[in-house]
Amino acid sequence: KLEDDNTTLNDVVVIGYGTMKKKDLTGSVASIGSKELADIPVSSVGEAMTGKLAGVSITTTEGSPDADIKIRVRGGGSLSQDNSPLYIVDGFPVSSISDIAPSEIETIDVLKDASSTAIYGARGANGVIIVTTKSGKEGKTQVSFGASLGFKKMAKETKVMDPYNYALYQYEVGNTEYGDYDDMEIWKSVKGNNWQDDLFGRTGLQQIYNVAVNGGTKETKYNISYARTDDKSIMKASDYTKDNINAKLNSKLNKWLTLDFNARLAYTKINGLGSGADTNESNASNSIVAKTVTFRPVDPLFISGDDDDESSNSTEASPTQRMDDTYKQQRRFRQNYNAGLNWKPFKGITFRSEFGYSWSYEKTDQAWGTYASRNSKFGYSGQPQTQLIRKDNKNWRNANTLTYDTKNALLKGDKLNVLVGQEWSSSQDESYTSTTVAFPTTFG
Protein backbone atom coordinates (compact mmCIF):
# COMPACT_ATOMS: atom_id res chain seq x y z
CA LYS A 1 0.00 0.00 0.00
CA LEU A 2 1.39 3.40 -1.01
CA GLU A 3 0.80 6.34 1.29
CA ASP A 4 1.50 10.05 0.84
CA ASP A 5 4.72 11.34 2.31
CA ASN A 6 4.52 15.11 2.77
CA THR A 7 7.47 15.49 5.12
CA THR A 8 9.56 17.14 2.43
CA LEU A 9 7.10 19.99 1.90
CA ASN A 10 8.71 22.00 4.68
CA ASP A 11 12.22 21.56 3.26
CA VAL A 12 13.91 24.81 2.34
CA VAL A 13 15.20 24.99 -1.23
CA VAL A 14 17.35 27.64 -2.85
CA ILE A 15 15.74 29.66 -5.63
CA GLY A 16 16.68 32.82 -7.47
CA TYR A 17 18.32 35.29 -5.04
CA GLY A 18 16.80 33.62 -1.99
CA THR A 19 15.21 30.56 -0.37
CA MET A 20 11.69 29.22 -0.03
CA LYS A 21 9.83 26.24 1.38
CA LYS A 22 8.82 23.58 -1.12
CA LYS A 23 5.14 23.87 -0.24
CA ASP A 24 5.16 27.55 -1.30
CA LEU A 25 6.64 26.87 -4.74
CA THR A 26 4.55 26.90 -7.89
CA GLY A 27 7.35 25.56 -10.09
CA SER A 28 9.18 22.26 -10.30
CA VAL A 29 12.37 21.94 -8.23
CA ALA A 30 14.50 18.83 -7.70
CA SER A 31 16.97 18.63 -4.82
CA ILE A 32 19.79 16.44 -3.61
CA GLY A 33 21.69 16.72 -0.33
CA SER A 34 25.18 16.03 0.97
CA LYS A 35 24.19 12.62 2.37
CA GLU A 36 23.27 11.29 -1.06
CA LEU A 37 26.44 12.74 -2.58
CA ALA A 38 28.64 11.24 0.12
CA ASP A 39 27.45 7.72 -0.71
CA ILE A 40 29.16 7.84 -4.12
CA PRO A 41 32.95 8.34 -4.14
CA VAL A 42 33.36 10.07 -7.51
CA SER A 43 35.68 12.82 -8.72
CA SER A 44 33.09 15.19 -10.23
CA VAL A 45 29.75 16.68 -9.24
CA GLY A 46 28.13 15.58 -12.51
CA GLU A 47 28.89 11.93 -11.80
CA ALA A 48 27.45 12.23 -8.30
CA MET A 49 24.20 13.70 -9.66
CA THR A 50 23.68 10.97 -12.27
CA GLY A 51 20.36 9.19 -11.84
CA LYS A 52 19.36 11.09 -8.71
CA LEU A 53 17.33 14.00 -10.08
CA ALA A 54 14.07 13.54 -11.98
CA GLY A 55 13.99 15.31 -15.33
CA VAL A 56 17.75 15.86 -15.37
CA SER A 57 19.82 13.99 -17.95
CA ILE A 58 23.57 13.66 -17.37
CA THR A 59 25.98 12.22 -19.93
CA THR A 60 29.75 12.14 -20.32
CA THR A 61 31.16 13.57 -23.54
CA GLU A 62 34.09 11.14 -23.66
CA GLY A 63 35.92 8.50 -21.65
CA SER A 64 38.71 10.58 -20.12
CA PRO A 65 38.54 11.14 -16.34
CA ASP A 66 38.38 14.92 -16.83
CA ALA A 67 35.72 14.75 -19.55
CA ASP A 68 33.05 17.43 -19.57
CA ILE A 69 29.70 16.39 -18.14
CA LYS A 70 26.69 17.37 -20.24
CA ILE A 71 23.69 18.25 -18.09
CA ARG A 72 20.28 18.72 -19.71
CA VAL A 73 17.22 19.79 -17.76
CA ARG A 74 14.11 18.32 -19.36
CA GLY A 75 15.96 17.67 -22.61
CA GLY A 76 17.39 20.07 -25.14
CA GLY A 77 15.34 23.01 -26.34
CA SER A 78 17.48 23.99 -29.33
CA LEU A 79 19.01 22.08 -32.23
CA SER A 80 21.77 24.57 -33.01
CA GLN A 81 22.42 26.54 -29.80
CA ASP A 82 23.85 25.60 -26.42
CA ASN A 83 21.40 23.69 -24.20
CA SER A 84 23.47 23.88 -21.02
CA PRO A 85 21.71 25.12 -17.87
CA LEU A 86 22.78 28.12 -15.83
CA TYR A 87 25.08 27.22 -12.92
CA ILE A 88 24.87 29.19 -9.67
CA VAL A 89 27.35 28.44 -6.87
CA ASP A 90 26.69 30.13 -3.52
CA GLY A 91 24.68 32.79 -5.33
CA PHE A 92 27.22 33.52 -8.06
CA PRO A 93 26.97 32.39 -11.72
CA VAL A 94 29.83 30.18 -12.94
CA SER A 95 30.63 28.58 -16.28
CA SER A 96 31.13 25.06 -14.89
CA ILE A 97 30.77 23.07 -11.67
CA SER A 98 33.47 20.54 -12.61
CA ASP A 99 36.04 22.31 -10.40
CA ILE A 100 33.99 21.72 -7.22
CA ALA A 101 34.72 18.63 -5.14
CA PRO A 102 31.57 16.61 -4.30
CA SER A 103 32.63 16.47 -0.64
CA GLU A 104 32.30 20.29 -0.42
CA ILE A 105 28.63 20.41 -1.48
CA GLU A 106 25.76 20.83 0.96
CA THR A 107 22.81 20.86 -1.46
CA ILE A 108 22.04 20.96 -5.17
CA ASP A 109 18.72 22.42 -6.30
CA VAL A 110 17.57 22.23 -9.91
CA LEU A 111 14.98 24.76 -11.13
CA LYS A 112 13.25 23.17 -14.10
CA ASP A 113 10.36 25.26 -15.39
CA ALA A 114 9.55 28.81 -16.44
CA SER A 115 8.02 29.95 -13.15
CA SER A 116 11.09 29.01 -11.12
CA THR A 117 13.70 30.22 -13.61
CA ALA A 118 11.98 33.46 -14.69
CA ILE A 119 14.02 35.66 -12.36
CA TYR A 120 17.18 34.77 -14.29
CA GLY A 121 15.69 35.81 -17.63
CA ALA A 122 17.04 34.29 -20.82
CA ARG A 123 20.02 32.82 -18.95
CA GLY A 124 17.68 30.36 -17.21
CA ALA A 125 15.92 29.17 -20.36
CA ASN A 126 17.59 25.75 -20.11
CA GLY A 127 17.07 25.39 -16.38
CA VAL A 128 19.13 26.51 -13.39
CA ILE A 129 21.37 24.36 -11.21
CA ILE A 130 22.05 25.98 -7.84
CA VAL A 131 24.92 24.58 -5.78
CA THR A 132 25.34 25.48 -2.11
CA THR A 133 28.67 24.56 -0.51
CA LYS A 134 29.06 23.59 3.12
CA SER A 135 29.18 26.27 5.80
CA GLY A 136 30.63 26.24 9.29
CA LYS A 137 28.56 25.31 12.33
CA GLU A 138 28.48 26.86 15.76
CA GLY A 139 30.46 24.92 18.32
CA LYS A 140 33.86 23.39 18.85
CA THR A 141 36.25 23.01 15.97
CA GLN A 142 35.62 19.76 14.14
CA VAL A 143 37.99 17.98 11.79
CA SER A 144 36.73 15.38 9.34
CA PHE A 145 38.64 13.17 6.93
CA GLY A 146 37.46 10.93 4.12
CA ALA A 147 39.22 8.63 1.69
CA SER A 148 38.21 6.21 -1.03
CA LEU A 149 40.03 3.83 -3.32
CA GLY A 150 38.66 2.41 -6.56
CA PHE A 151 39.82 0.29 -9.46
CA LYS A 152 38.89 0.48 -13.13
CA LYS A 153 39.14 -2.15 -15.81
CA MET A 154 37.84 -2.40 -19.36
CA ALA A 155 34.75 -4.58 -19.12
CA LYS A 156 34.55 -5.82 -22.68
CA GLU A 157 36.65 -5.52 -25.80
CA THR A 158 35.27 -5.04 -29.30
CA LYS A 159 35.52 -8.31 -31.18
CA VAL A 160 37.93 -8.13 -34.12
CA MET A 161 39.27 -10.56 -36.74
CA ASP A 162 42.08 -12.96 -35.88
CA PRO A 163 45.18 -13.14 -38.17
CA TYR A 164 43.74 -15.94 -40.32
CA ASN A 165 40.41 -14.22 -41.02
CA TYR A 166 42.12 -10.88 -41.56
CA ALA A 167 44.55 -12.39 -44.11
CA LEU A 168 41.65 -14.15 -45.83
CA TYR A 169 39.73 -10.89 -45.95
CA GLN A 170 42.71 -9.12 -47.53
CA TYR A 171 42.97 -11.86 -50.17
CA GLU A 172 39.28 -11.47 -51.00
CA VAL A 173 39.64 -7.72 -51.58
CA GLY A 174 42.59 -8.32 -53.92
CA ASN A 175 45.51 -7.63 -51.58
CA THR A 176 48.30 -10.16 -52.24
CA GLU A 177 50.61 -8.94 -49.47
CA TYR A 178 49.40 -11.75 -47.18
CA GLY A 179 50.09 -14.52 -49.69
CA ASP A 180 48.07 -16.68 -52.07
CA TYR A 181 44.99 -18.61 -51.09
CA ASP A 182 47.03 -21.78 -50.62
CA ASP A 183 49.17 -19.97 -48.05
CA MET A 184 46.27 -18.84 -45.84
CA GLU A 185 46.58 -21.81 -43.47
CA ILE A 186 49.90 -20.53 -42.10
CA TRP A 187 48.10 -17.59 -40.47
CA LYS A 188 46.19 -19.94 -38.16
CA SER A 189 49.36 -20.53 -36.14
CA VAL A 190 50.32 -16.86 -35.94
CA LYS A 191 49.47 -14.86 -32.82
CA GLY A 192 48.03 -11.44 -33.61
CA ASN A 193 48.49 -8.13 -31.82
CA ASN A 194 45.73 -7.08 -29.44
CA TRP A 195 45.86 -3.31 -29.82
CA GLN A 196 42.91 -2.78 -27.46
CA ASP A 197 44.73 -4.62 -24.69
CA ASP A 198 47.95 -2.72 -25.41
CA LEU A 199 46.26 0.66 -25.05
CA PHE A 200 43.38 -0.01 -22.61
CA GLY A 201 44.47 -3.16 -20.83
CA ARG A 202 45.99 -1.72 -17.68
CA THR A 203 44.12 -1.47 -14.39
CA GLY A 204 43.08 2.06 -13.52
CA LEU A 205 43.37 3.34 -9.96
CA GLN A 206 41.30 6.14 -8.45
CA GLN A 207 42.18 7.72 -5.10
CA ILE A 208 40.09 10.46 -3.47
CA TYR A 209 41.02 12.22 -0.23
CA ASN A 210 39.31 15.11 1.55
CA VAL A 211 39.78 16.88 4.87
CA ALA A 212 37.63 19.64 6.36
CA VAL A 213 37.85 21.91 9.39
CA ASN A 214 34.77 23.79 10.59
CA GLY A 215 33.40 25.45 13.67
CA GLY A 216 32.84 28.90 15.10
CA THR A 217 30.82 30.98 17.48
CA LYS A 218 27.31 32.38 17.27
CA GLU A 219 28.67 35.46 15.48
CA THR A 220 31.30 33.88 13.21
CA LYS A 221 31.31 30.47 11.53
CA TYR A 222 33.94 29.05 9.19
CA ASN A 223 34.56 26.01 7.02
CA ILE A 224 37.85 25.18 5.28
CA SER A 225 38.27 22.06 3.17
CA TYR A 226 40.80 20.43 0.88
CA ALA A 227 40.16 17.60 -1.57
CA ARG A 228 42.50 15.72 -3.87
CA THR A 229 41.76 13.28 -6.67
CA ASP A 230 44.35 11.01 -8.28
CA ASP A 231 43.02 9.06 -11.24
CA LYS A 232 45.20 6.69 -13.22
CA SER A 233 43.30 6.01 -16.43
CA ILE A 234 43.00 2.59 -18.07
CA MET A 235 44.43 4.18 -21.21
CA LYS A 236 48.18 3.97 -21.63
CA ALA A 237 50.18 7.04 -20.51
CA SER A 238 47.06 8.83 -19.20
CA ASP A 239 46.43 10.12 -15.69
CA TYR A 240 44.58 12.94 -13.98
CA THR A 241 45.03 14.87 -10.72
CA LYS A 242 42.89 17.59 -9.19
CA ASP A 243 43.32 19.70 -6.03
CA ASN A 244 40.45 21.70 -4.56
CA ILE A 245 40.55 24.25 -1.75
CA ASN A 246 37.36 25.80 -0.40
CA ALA A 247 37.07 28.40 2.36
CA LYS A 248 33.77 29.82 3.60
CA LEU A 249 33.14 32.44 6.28
CA ASN A 250 29.84 33.66 7.71
CA SER A 251 30.08 36.51 10.19
CA LYS A 252 27.53 38.64 12.03
CA LEU A 253 29.19 42.04 12.26
CA ASN A 254 26.46 43.65 14.36
CA LYS A 255 22.71 43.55 14.88
CA TRP A 256 21.99 44.71 11.33
CA LEU A 257 24.99 43.56 9.25
CA THR A 258 26.17 40.09 8.22
CA LEU A 259 29.05 39.15 5.92
CA ASP A 260 29.42 36.08 3.73
CA PHE A 261 32.73 35.23 2.08
CA ASN A 262 33.69 32.26 -0.08
CA ALA A 263 36.92 31.39 -1.88
CA ARG A 264 37.46 28.39 -4.16
CA LEU A 265 40.66 27.31 -5.87
CA ALA A 266 41.08 24.35 -8.20
CA TYR A 267 44.19 23.07 -9.94
CA THR A 268 43.97 20.25 -12.49
CA LYS A 269 46.67 18.41 -14.42
CA ILE A 270 45.88 15.91 -17.17
CA ASN A 271 48.55 13.80 -18.84
CA GLY A 272 47.95 11.81 -22.00
CA LEU A 273 45.16 11.74 -24.54
CA GLY A 274 42.42 10.73 -22.11
CA SER A 275 39.85 9.36 -24.54
CA GLY A 276 42.35 9.12 -27.41
CA ALA A 277 40.91 12.00 -29.40
CA ASP A 278 44.17 13.23 -30.91
CA THR A 279 43.63 16.81 -32.03
CA ASN A 280 46.03 16.62 -35.01
CA GLU A 281 44.01 13.94 -36.83
CA SER A 282 42.54 14.81 -40.21
CA ASN A 283 39.33 12.91 -39.37
CA ALA A 284 37.85 10.84 -36.55
CA SER A 285 38.32 7.53 -38.38
CA ASN A 286 42.09 7.98 -38.01
CA SER A 287 42.00 8.42 -34.24
CA ILE A 288 44.04 6.09 -32.11
CA VAL A 289 40.94 4.66 -30.45
CA ALA A 290 39.34 3.80 -33.81
CA LYS A 291 42.55 2.22 -35.07
CA THR A 292 42.74 -0.17 -32.09
CA VAL A 293 39.76 -1.92 -33.71
CA THR A 294 40.49 -1.48 -37.44
CA PHE A 295 44.28 -1.73 -37.58
CA ARG A 296 45.74 -5.00 -38.91
CA PRO A 297 46.49 -7.64 -36.22
CA VAL A 298 49.60 -8.85 -38.10
CA ASP A 299 52.04 -7.36 -40.59
CA PRO A 300 51.94 -8.64 -44.20
CA LEU A 301 54.49 -11.04 -45.66
CA PHE A 302 55.87 -8.33 -47.87
CA ILE A 303 55.18 -4.68 -48.72
CA SER A 304 54.00 -3.86 -52.22
CA GLY A 305 53.99 -0.47 -53.90
CA ASP A 306 56.20 2.58 -53.56
CA ASP A 307 57.30 3.51 -50.06
CA ASP A 308 56.45 7.12 -50.87
CA ASP A 309 52.86 6.20 -51.68
CA GLU A 310 50.65 7.30 -48.77
CA SER A 311 48.30 4.37 -49.40
CA SER A 312 51.13 1.85 -48.90
CA ASN A 313 51.24 -0.20 -45.70
CA SER A 314 54.79 1.03 -45.14
CA THR A 315 53.44 4.48 -44.21
CA GLU A 316 51.04 3.13 -41.60
CA ALA A 317 51.92 3.18 -37.91
CA SER A 318 50.34 0.96 -35.28
CA PRO A 319 48.21 2.47 -32.48
CA THR A 320 50.98 1.65 -30.00
CA GLN A 321 53.63 3.40 -32.09
CA ARG A 322 51.42 6.45 -32.45
CA MET A 323 50.64 6.53 -28.73
CA ASP A 324 54.32 6.28 -27.81
CA ASP A 325 55.07 9.08 -30.28
CA THR A 326 52.45 11.46 -28.83
CA TYR A 327 52.75 13.85 -25.90
CA LYS A 328 49.95 15.87 -24.35
CA GLN A 329 49.62 17.68 -21.04
CA GLN A 330 46.90 20.04 -19.84
CA ARG A 331 47.04 22.32 -16.82
CA ARG A 332 44.11 24.33 -15.49
CA PHE A 333 43.93 26.75 -12.60
CA ARG A 334 40.71 28.41 -11.49
CA GLN A 335 40.02 30.72 -8.58
CA ASN A 336 36.76 32.29 -7.46
CA TYR A 337 36.23 34.89 -4.73
CA ASN A 338 32.74 35.94 -3.67
CA ALA A 339 31.56 38.28 -0.91
CA GLY A 340 28.08 39.31 0.15
CA LEU A 341 26.94 41.96 2.66
CA ASN A 342 23.43 41.79 4.19
CA TRP A 343 21.87 44.83 5.85
CA LYS A 344 18.58 44.63 7.73
CA PRO A 345 17.64 48.18 8.77
CA PHE A 346 13.99 47.34 9.50
CA LYS A 347 11.95 44.25 10.19
CA GLY A 348 11.17 42.34 6.99
CA ILE A 349 13.53 44.44 4.84
CA THR A 350 16.90 43.11 3.67
CA PHE A 351 19.40 44.80 1.42
CA ARG A 352 22.11 42.54 -0.03
CA SER A 353 25.13 43.56 -2.06
CA GLU A 354 27.26 40.88 -3.73
CA PHE A 355 30.59 41.06 -5.47
CA GLY A 356 32.39 38.20 -7.20
CA TYR A 357 35.64 37.83 -9.09
CA SER A 358 37.00 34.80 -10.94
CA TRP A 359 40.12 34.06 -12.94
CA SER A 360 40.96 30.93 -14.88
CA TYR A 361 44.01 29.88 -16.84
CA GLU A 362 44.38 26.89 -19.16
CA LYS A 363 47.55 25.61 -20.75
CA THR A 364 47.77 22.73 -23.25
CA ASP A 365 51.07 21.43 -24.64
CA GLN A 366 51.10 18.82 -27.41
CA ALA A 367 53.78 17.21 -29.53
CA TRP A 368 53.67 14.55 -32.25
CA GLY A 369 56.57 12.59 -33.67
CA THR A 370 56.83 11.14 -37.16
CA TYR A 371 54.59 8.13 -36.37
CA ALA A 372 51.82 10.28 -34.85
CA SER A 373 51.72 12.96 -37.58
CA ARG A 374 51.14 10.85 -40.69
CA ASN A 375 47.49 11.93 -40.94
CA SER A 376 47.88 15.41 -39.51
CA LYS A 377 45.21 17.98 -40.22
CA PHE A 378 47.97 20.60 -40.13
CA GLY A 379 49.54 19.11 -43.23
CA TYR A 380 53.23 18.22 -43.62
CA SER A 381 52.48 14.57 -42.86
CA GLY A 382 55.30 12.65 -41.24
CA GLN A 383 57.04 15.75 -39.85
CA PRO A 384 57.35 16.31 -36.06
CA GLN A 385 54.81 18.90 -34.90
CA THR A 386 53.95 20.82 -31.75
CA GLN A 387 50.99 22.89 -30.65
CA LEU A 388 50.74 25.25 -27.65
CA ILE A 389 47.34 26.58 -26.52
CA ARG A 390 46.84 29.25 -23.86
CA LYS A 391 43.50 30.54 -22.55
CA ASP A 392 42.89 33.22 -19.96
CA ASN A 393 39.53 34.38 -18.58
CA LYS A 394 38.73 37.08 -16.04
CA ASN A 395 35.30 38.25 -14.98
CA TRP A 396 33.59 40.08 -12.17
CA ARG A 397 29.99 40.57 -11.09
CA ASN A 398 28.08 42.88 -8.77
CA ALA A 399 24.44 42.45 -7.74
CA ASN A 400 22.30 44.50 -5.36
CA THR A 401 18.85 43.39 -4.19
CA LEU A 402 16.22 44.76 -1.85
CA THR A 403 13.78 42.24 -0.38
CA TYR A 404 10.59 42.82 1.56
CA ASP A 405 9.35 39.67 3.30
CA THR A 406 6.45 39.65 5.74
CA LYS A 407 3.66 37.45 7.08
CA ASN A 408 0.06 38.32 7.91
CA ALA A 409 0.37 41.57 5.99
CA LEU A 410 -3.19 41.55 4.67
CA LEU A 411 -4.85 38.43 6.01
CA LYS A 412 -3.97 35.96 8.71
CA GLY A 413 -1.72 33.22 7.37
CA ASP A 414 -0.71 35.01 4.18
CA LYS A 415 2.83 35.74 3.09
CA LEU A 416 4.20 38.54 0.96
CA ASN A 417 7.66 38.54 -0.63
CA VAL A 418 8.83 41.30 -2.98
CA LEU A 419 12.31 41.57 -4.49
CA VAL A 420 13.82 44.30 -6.65
CA GLY A 421 17.41 44.56 -7.73
CA GLN A 422 20.03 45.15 -10.38
CA GLU A 423 23.09 43.32 -11.56
CA TRP A 424 26.01 43.94 -13.90
CA SER A 425 29.01 41.90 -14.91
CA SER A 426 32.06 42.00 -17.13
CA SER A 427 34.11 39.25 -18.76
CA GLN A 428 37.43 39.27 -20.59
CA ASP A 429 38.86 36.37 -22.61
CA GLU A 430 42.32 36.02 -24.09
CA SER A 431 43.68 33.05 -26.00
CA TYR A 432 46.33 32.12 -28.52
CA THR A 433 47.45 29.00 -30.35
CA SER A 434 50.91 28.29 -31.73
CA THR A 435 51.61 25.40 -34.13
CA THR A 436 55.13 24.44 -35.22
CA VAL A 437 56.36 21.94 -37.79
CA ALA A 438 59.96 20.68 -37.74
CA PHE A 439 61.50 20.26 -41.21
CA PRO A 440 64.61 18.16 -41.84
CA THR A 441 67.75 20.15 -42.59
CA THR A 442 70.04 19.09 -45.42
CA PHE A 443 73.65 20.11 -45.91
CA GLY A 444 75.82 20.07 -48.99
Side-chain angles (χ1 to χ4, degrees):
K1 181 181 178 181
L2 299 178
E3 297 181 354
D4 293 336
D5 184 5
N6 296 325
T7 57
T8 61
L9 293 179
N10 288 319
D11 289 350
V12 176
V13 296
V14 180
I15 59 173
Y17 302 98
T19 60
M20 185 176 289
K21 289 185 177 181
K22 275 190 175 181
K23 66 180 180 180
D24 296 326
L25 288 172
T26 59
S28 178
V29 177
S31 302
I32 182 174
S34 58
K35 292 183 179 180
E36 292 87 346
L37 296 174
D39 294 337
I40 308 175
V42 292
S43 58
S44 70
V45 179
E47 291 180 273
M49 293 168 56
T50 303
K52 292 186 174 293
L53 296 166
V56 180
S57 172
I58 301 174
T59 56
T60 305
T61 57
E62 54 178 345
S64 59
D66 68 305
D68 288 334
I69 304 293
K70 281 190 176 181
I71 301 178
R72 298 292 180 263
V73 179
R74 290 185 172 177
S78 174
L79 295 175
S80 59
Q81 302 301 312
D82 187 16
N83 289 298
S84 300
L86 173 65
Y87 300 107
I88 306 291
V89 179
D90 291 330
F92 295 86
V94 295
S95 59
S96 173
I97 56 175
S98 61
D99 61 337
I100 304 175
S103 59
E104 299 174 359
I105 295 176
E106 182 66 32
T107 61
I108 298 177
D109 298 289
V110 182
L111 314 183
K112 297 188 286 187
D113 58 16
S115 62
S116 56
T117 63
I119 195 168
Y120 292 105
R123 295 182 302 169
N126 296 314
V128 181
I129 296 180
I130 302 177
V131 178
T132 303
T133 59
K134 292 181 179 179
S135 301
K137 297 180 180 180
E138 181 181 349
K140 295 182 179 180
T141 299
Q142 296 183 350
V143 180
S144 60
F145 174 78
S148 67
L149 180 68
F151 297 93
K152 299 180 180 181
K153 192 72 176 177
M154 183 167 57
K156 184 179 180 181
E157 294 181 357
T158 301
K159 190 175 181 179
V160 297
M161 286 187 286
D162 56 31
Y164 169 73
N165 283 288
Y166 183 81
L168 187 61
Y169 157 68
Q170 292 297 311
Y171 172 79
E172 291 175 348
V173 298
N175 184 0
T176 60
E177 295 177 354
Y178 288 84
D180 297 328
Y181 181 79
D182 295 336
D183 300 327
M184 290 296 107
E185 292 296 321
I186 65 174
W187 293 107
K188 290 185 177 180
S189 59
V190 176
K191 184 179 179 180
N193 295 304
N194 187 335
W195 305 116
Q196 296 178 75
D197 188 63
D198 286 350
L199 266 68
F200 311 114
R202 74 178 187 179
T203 300
L205 178 65
Q206 183 188 68
Q207 304 174 69
I208 301 176
Y209 307 96
N210 61 80
V211 60
V213 180
N214 73 82
T217 63
K218 187 176 181 180
E219 288 74 25
T220 302
K221 305 177 184 66
Y222 62 88
N223 182 75
I224 302 173
S225 62
Y226 168 76
R228 179 176 176 84
T229 300
D230 283 296
D231 199 325
K232 174 187 173 183
S233 175
I234 64 172
M235 191 172 190
K236 184 179 181 181
S238 297
D239 60 75
Y240 162 82
T241 60
K242 181 172 67 172
D243 295 278
N244 293 89
I245 297 176
N246 188 71
K248 197 169 185 179
L249 175 70
N250 306 100
S251 179
K252 186 175 181 180
L253 303 179
N254 55 42
K255 186 177 180 180
W256 304 280
L257 286 175
T258 59
L259 174 67
D260 304 322
F261 176 78
N262 176 247
R264 294 194 317 276
L265 292 89
Y267 177 74
T268 306
K269 183 174 73 171
I270 308 107
N271 291 315
L273 301 182
S275 65
D278 198 353
T279 55
N280 81 328
E281 292 300 322
S282 57
N283 57 69
S285 63
N286 288 325
S287 70
I288 293 179
V289 172
K291 287 298 182 180
T292 59
V293 177
T294 61
F295 195 77
R296 59 178 182 265
V298 288
D299 290 329
L301 296 174
F302 61 91
I303 301 297
S304 63
D306 189 351
D307 286 350
D308 295 331
D309 183 3
E310 291 187 2
S311 63
S312 171
N313 280 315
S314 63
T315 64
E316 296 184 66
S318 70
T320 301
Q321 288 175 313
R322 292 171 57 189
M323 177 65 76
D324 293 339
D325 218 21
T326 300
Y327 169 81
K328 183 176 182 179
Q329 186 181 81
Q330 302 175 69
R331 294 175 183 265
R332 304 171 187 166
F333 180 62
R334 296 179 180 177
Q335 50 184 330
N336 295 269
Y337 304 97
N338 305 309
L341 187 66
N342 296 284
W343 179 40
K344 296 183 178 181
F346 306 105
K347 182 179 179 181
I349 294 179
T350 302
F351 174 77
R352 178 174 175 83
S353 181
E354 302 174 347
F355 181 81
Y357 174 80
S358 68
W359 176 72
S360 64
Y361 177 77
E362 296 185 20
K363 173 184 176 182
T364 303
D365 296 337
Q366 293 180 265
W368 303 275
T370 55
Y371 287 124
S373 61
R374 294 187 175 182
N375 293 292
S376 176
K377 67 180 181 181
F378 304 124
Y380 308 103
S381 298
Q383 300 298 331
Q385 302 173 358
T386 63
Q387 185 179 67
L388 308 178
I389 301 175
R390 303 291 185 266
K391 295 181 180 179
D392 187 274
N393 173 265
K394 298 176 183 178
N395 62 74
W396 61 266
R397 165 187 176 270
N398 175 246
N400 301 282
T401 59
L402 182 64
T403 305
Y404 177 67
D405 191 357
T406 184
K407 296 180 179 179
N408 305 320
L410 300 176
L411 299 173
K412 186 177 181 180
D414 68 354
K415 184 177 181 180
L416 179 63
N417 184 286
V418 180
L419 182 144
V420 294
Q422 56 84 222
E423 175 182 338
W424 67 79
S425 62
S426 175
S427 180
Q428 180 181 1
D429 292 287
E430 295 181 1
S431 64
Y432 76 88
T433 302
S434 174
T435 305
T436 305
V437 178
F439 294 100
T441 302
T442 58
F443 300 91

